[in-house]
Amino acid sequence: MAGEIPATGPPGSWDASLTKEDHPAHPPHPPEGPEAETRKDVAAPPISSYLWGLLRGRWGESSETALVPPGPHFLPSASPQLTPKTSVEPCETEKPKTSFFAVPMEMRGSFLVLLLRECFRDLGWLATIPSISGEVGLLVTSTVPQTPFFWAMHITETLHRNMLALFSALAEAEEQQPYLHDSAVRRGTRGLAEYHLGSYGPAWNRCWVLDRVDSWVVVMFVDFGQSATIPVQSLRTLDSDDFWTIPPLTQPFMLEKGILSSNQVIHRILKGKITGALNLESHILKFEEFK
């Protein structure tokens, strides 16, 4: 193995939806209609059609993920018959509390450097992140609930081209990729596993093995920022560097204000602007959503 990977425990919930027994070996046909449209001059595989349909179909929609402020507190009306209380010294105004959130391990620079070195053999992707600025559209792919951190695809033409190229290659190769032998599955293994893509269903995507416990492995889907626990026997080989020339499609962000309260924001588009970067982890950009 090329390097040492920090050990991680299985996530809080086991994602049994990714097992071979529950899902067919091949993803179902994509939905028909406007959301399945892609460029007419490019034959896109179903998964790319689905994702780009989200981008094109929802870009004009208003965000559905704004945090709802609490309603006004009920204040009883004053009664003129109340006896006034004796004056007391005013209490010192309580200062608002500032919340601090630890950066998730999978978003830390040290972790991403190891991932890029092990999987992509190139660290250049991190250097491109600070160039993102101004108004942006983000397709959310994963969240860390009750924190401001989330993973998202920055919507650009470059993203479109990379999606088409990557998912076309994976769609053509998935049937030819054999399942990994049990002895070959260990920390740091690059592979191909089924990722549940919302209403589209399961589809084969690039992943990296974070840890192994008996007949189960914890993997990270590098193009979605999502970790899952899956059976060892469900992993296919994907060790050719040809499949790892395109950098991760998703990247870490954090909200400038507020937190993400649930996973309902996944596969929705947030429109806003980049306001800076997180101190000491400058690859995590701060994002302020337009209201």
Side-chain angles (χ1 to χ4, degrees):
M1 193 179 73
E4 182 66 18
I5 299 177
T8 64
S13 60
W14 288 49
D15 193 351
S17 63
L18 298 176
T19 62
K20 291 174 58 183
E21 291 78 2
D22 293 338
H23 294 296
H26 305 290
H29 295 292
E32 298 180 356
E35 287 194 351
E37 292 180 2
T38 55
R39 294 182 175 181
K40 295 182 180 180
D41 57 336
V42 180
I47 184 175
S48 182
S49 301
Y50 173 80
L51 285 174
W52 196 249
L54 290 176
L55 305 187
R56 297 176 62 190
R58 297 183 179 179
W59 177 241
E61 295 183 4
S62 61
S63 172
E64 303 177 49
T65 60
L67 297 177
V68 180
H73 296 287
F74 174 75
L75 297 177
S77 57
S79 171
Q81 300 178 358
L82 293 177
T83 304
K85 296 181 179 180
T86 57
S87 59
V88 295
E89 294 183 3
C91 297
E92 183 180 353
T93 303
E94 183 178 354
K95 297 181 180 179
K97 296 181 180 179
T98 302
S99 299
F100 295 94
F101 299 91
V103 177
M105 187 200 71
E106 293 85 355
M107 291 186 176
R108 296 176 185 176
S110 57
F111 179 91
L112 292 177
V113 166
L114 187 57
L115 182 150
L116 294 172
R117 186 174 294 152
E118 292 275 338
C119 294
F120 298 89
R121 323 296 195 209
D122 184 7
L123 303 182
W125 174 70
L126 282 177
T128 66
I129 291 179
S131 64
I132 301 174
S133 61
E135 296 186 8
V136 296
L138 304 179
L139 175 62
V140 179
T141 59
S142 179
T143 64
V144 184
Q146 303 302 324
T147 78
F149 297 103
F150 64 100
W151 294 83
M153 296 181 181
H154 177 213
I155 302 172
T156 63
E157 284 299 320
T158 298
L159 171 66
H160 186 199
R161 290 193 298 269
N162 285 343
M163 286 170 55
L164 289 174
L166 175 62
F167 296 136
S168 294
L170 294 180
E172 294 175 2
E174 72 175 54
E175 293 185 2
Q176 286 73 41
Q177 299 302 118
Y179 286 95
L180 281 165
H181 190 274
D182 184 88
S183 61
V185 180
R186 59 178 69 90
R187 292 181 185 175
T189 300
R190 301 185 295 186
L192 192 65
E194 284 187 310
Y195 174 76
H196 197 274
L197 193 62
S199 60
Y200 175 81
W204 292 93
N205 283 278
R206 300 185 296 186
C207 68
W208 188 45
V209 175
L210 302 180
D211 203 357
R212 174 172 179 170
V213 180
D214 298 327
S215 60
W216 297 85
V217 288
V218 182
V219 300
M220 179 177 181
F221 291 97
V222 298
D223 296 303
F224 296 90
Q226 179 71 50
S227 298
T229 303
I230 62 176
V232 169
Q233 65 268 23
S234 66
L235 276 173
R236 291 180 183 266
T237 182
L238 197 71
D239 202 43
S240 172
D241 287 340
D242 293 339
F243 295 108
W244 299 89
T245 57
I246 294 175
L249 300 180
T250 193
Q251 66 185 77
F253 291 90
M254 71 171 294
L255 291 178
E256 177 71 36
K257 300 176 182 178
I259 63 173
L260 298 174
S261 58
S262 72
N263 287 326
Q264 294 179 355
V265 70
I266 294 177
H267 297 162
R268 294 185 181 180
I269 289 178
L270 304 181
K271 294 187 290 183
K273 62 181 180 180
I274 301 300
T275 59
L278 184 63
N279 292 336
L280 303 180
E281 300 282 3
S282 58
H283 61 282
I284 301 179
L285 301 181
K286 294 182 178 180
F287 172 78
E288 183 176 352
E289 184 184 5
F290 292 151
K291 302 297 185 181

